[in-house]
């Protein structure tokens, strides 16, 4: 059994109580690592360390170029350790090694990009309408930033937060999911090796109710960047606003994936499969509602089912596997529960619909790729996030109807559609209420391109140049060059 420690103030520590909890391998359903069970005291120590590192010591004295250099060095170390980190993530969350390795090889780009941005954070000189006054702005860091991440892509979702936060000059406390803490603790060793001063980056492992809530309410925390469920996001938002912390929330989705009759059909089939069965459907951007134009509905569905049927389930560490297990037993139960709900609502199960029966899947937390036809958009299976390999198929007749169904959800994280008509591309991409719209592609993510939700899918955007503003605040400095102060009783 692998054992891990937390990084607080540059020291590798157990929790103050010495308690641990086990991390499980979803493929075999067995524990493989022991993680420190951090508590309120540990969370407070980490925030205080980050606060000290922000206000004194070497970090605030570094130039912006020095910070950029450290971030780029960290990017190099991640690249060197990509295979090892990807294997840890796959062992912990059961997502395919192909997927995690792709992510780990790509993650350095966040540190290079925001490292490059560190010394391009400029203020402005305002041509102010006051005589004998010089006015300029500075963009200053916020202080201690907290990153709370879910289990599906721990280091990628951390990079969205950590890279801009450090580039802007903040310090950071990370709290990974209790289901997948190991990769963040391994990653912390690389942050240390890159040469960041003690306390600039801290990791506290543990549970939401104590570690998470302490981080969300601590008076020295200036900003919380969260990715996770809508329910937890709401709790964090409500708590954080009481002390006016800045918050970005990346929450769930029920993304529509629309196929018009004029689409390039084989590409659309591949897109639809990648939208829902990649990562075993455990992605916030999963294209879980398939809207198909009625005149191609049956023929298109036949092709999707035929391809989904060939998906090889198995060991996520094997590069031949196409669908791995889901990450946790509660997630398995939740998905099976939604399959029952869909049946009870009258949806017709055309593929899968349960756990695979073959003996090699007996220990792992597997669910078959599942497709429901005859879904109406007001059914729970079409409205609630399943976060698993379950596709709901809804027919439509006109473009207007497709847009109406697509937008008829509380979520608005992502959407995709397939068509060859350029005028339709412009119309539909403008009408869809979602933070990201993919046309003739799906699940494309870049450090350069903003990601975030409309409606209940979140607040704010991560990635892209503007996201550095999430970690900055503007100060306006006015300097009088006048020889004397005028009438003190009126506003100047
Ligand atoms: P979750 O909300 O249960 O947990 C996420 C994190 O929040 C974990 O680290 C957890 O320990 C912590 N947490 C739990 N309760 C807390 C509290 N009261 N205070 C502070 N922290 C607390 O989510 P999950 O089940 O780990 O992840 C799945 C969810 O994440 C899905 O709903 C999915 O849509 C969403 N997600 C969104 C995105 C995105 O970019 N929008 C990306 C990935 C996942």
């Amino acid at each position: 059994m692998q054992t891990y420690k937390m990084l607080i103030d540059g020291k590798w520590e157990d929790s103050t109580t010495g308690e641990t909890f086990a991390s499980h391998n979803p493929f075999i359903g067995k524990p493989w690592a022991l993680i420190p069970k951090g508590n309120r005291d540990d969370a407070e120590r980490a925030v205080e360390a980050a606060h000290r590192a922000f206000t004194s010591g070497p970090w605030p004295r570094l130039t912006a170029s020095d910070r950029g250099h450290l971030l780029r060095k960290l990017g190099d170390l991640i690249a060197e350790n990509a295979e090892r980190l990807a294997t840890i993530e796959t062992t912990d969350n059961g997502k395919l090694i192909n997927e995690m390795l792709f992510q780990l090889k790509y993650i350095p780009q966040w540190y290079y990009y925001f490292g490059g941005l560190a010394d391009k954070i400029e203020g402005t000189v305002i041509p102010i309408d006051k005589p004998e006054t010089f006015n300029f702005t500075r963009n200053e860091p916020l202080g201690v930033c907290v990153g709370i991440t879910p289990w599906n892509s721990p280091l990628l979702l951390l990079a969205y937060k950590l890279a801009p936060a450090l580039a802007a000059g903040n310090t950071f406390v990370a709290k990974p999911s209790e289901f997948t803490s190991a990769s963040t603790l391994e990653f912390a060793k690389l942050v240390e090796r890159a040469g960041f001063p003690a306390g600039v980056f801290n990791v506290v492992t543990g549970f939401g109710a104590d570690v998470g809530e302490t981080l969300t309410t601590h008076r020295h925390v200036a900003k919380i960047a969260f990715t996770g469920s809508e329910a937890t996001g709401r709790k964090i938002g409500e708590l954080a606003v009481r002390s006016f912390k800045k918050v970005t929330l990346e929450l769930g989705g029920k993304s529509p994936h629309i196929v018009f009759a004029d689409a390039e059909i084989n590409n659309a089939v591949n897109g639809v499969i990648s939208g829902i069965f990649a990562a075993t459907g455990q992605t916030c951007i999963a294209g879980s509602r398939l809207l198909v134009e009625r005149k191609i509905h049956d023929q298109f569905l036949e092709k999707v089912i035929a391809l989904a049927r060939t998906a090889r389930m198995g060991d996520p560490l094997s590069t031949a596997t196409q669908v791995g297990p889901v990450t946790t037993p509660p997630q398995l139960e939740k998905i099976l529960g939604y399959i029952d709900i869909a049946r009870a609502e009258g949806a017709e199960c055309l593929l899968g619909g349960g756990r695979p029966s073959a003996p090699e899947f007996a220990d792992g937390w597997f669910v078959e790729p599942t497709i429901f036809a005859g879904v109406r958009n007001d059914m729970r299976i079409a409205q609630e996030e399943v976060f698993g390999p379950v596709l709901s198929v809804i027919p439509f007749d006109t473009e207007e109807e497709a847009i109406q169904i697509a937008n008829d959800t509380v979520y608005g994280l992502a959407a995709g559609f397939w068509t060859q008509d350029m005028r339709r591309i412009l119309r539909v991409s403008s009408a869809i209420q979602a933070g990201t719209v993919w046309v003739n592609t799906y699940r494309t993510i870049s450090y350069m391109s903003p990601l975030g939700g409309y409606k209940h899918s979140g607040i704010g955007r991560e990635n892209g140049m503007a996201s550095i503003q999430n970690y900055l605040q503007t100060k306006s400095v006015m300097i009088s060059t006048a020889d004397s102060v005028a009438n003190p009783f009126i506003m100047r």
Side-chain angles (χ1 to χ4, degrees), residues 148-152 157 160 175-179 206-209 211-213 216 226-230 232-233 235-236 239 250-253 283-284 331 334 385 387 413 451 457 462:
I148 301 179
T149 45
W151 39 257
N152 54 345
L157 297 171
Y160 291 6
K175 196 213 100 43
S177 165
E178 54 273 32
F179 295 109
F207 292 78
V211 174
E213 284 201 21
T216 308
F226 171 78
T227 300
S229 64
E230 186 191 351
T232 308
K235 244 190 239 172
I236 289 177
L239 283 178
E250 301 279 355
L251 308 176
T283 93
C284 50
Q331 192 56 31
K334 180 179 164 193
E385 188 183 45
F387 220 61
L413 189 61
L451 180 79
S457 289
E462 295 189 314

Side-chain angles (χ1 to χ4, degrees), residues 26 85-86 88-97 99-101 103-104 107 148-158 160-161 175-181 183-184 226-229 250-253 278-286 325-328 331 334 385-388 413 443 445 451 462:
L85 292 168
I88 291 170
E89 295 217 313
T90 292
T91 307
D92 231 5
N93 70 5
K95 280 171 65 177
L96 301 185
I97 189 68
E99 163 108 356
M100 299 331 281
L101 195 52
Q103 287 190 9
L104 261 299
I107 287 171
I148 301 179
T149 45
W151 39 257
N152 54 345
S153 297
L155 291 180
L156 181 68
L157 297 171
L158 178 63
Y160 291 6
K161 301 161 179 57
K175 196 213 100 43
S177 165
E178 54 273 32
F179 295 109
T180 56
S181 301
S183 63
T184 305
F226 171 78
T227 300
S229 64
E250 301 279 355
L251 308 176
T280 322
Q282 301 171 109
T283 93
C284 50
I285 52 182
V326 299
T327 301
T328 71
Q331 192 56 31
K334 180 179 164 193
E385 188 183 45
V386 176
F387 220 61
L413 189 61
R443 221 170 159 247
I445 298 283
L451 180 79
E462 295 189 314

Side-chain angles (χ1 to χ4, degrees), residues 276-299:
I276 188 64
F277 298 129
T280 322
Q282 301 171 109
T283 93
C284 50
I285 52 182
S288 50
R289 284 186 300 148
L290 172 60
L291 278 48
V292 189
E293 192 163 343
R294 201 179 301 274
K295 53 183 147 178
I296 59 160
H297 177 276
D298 294 354
Q299 141 211 9

Side-chain angles (χ1 to χ4, degrees), residues 26-30 325 332 355-366:
F27 176 54
I28 51 174
K30 293 200 170 52
L332 176 64
R355 301 188 66 171
S357 53
E360 67 262 35
F361 303 121
D363 295 330
W365 303 322
F366 283 91

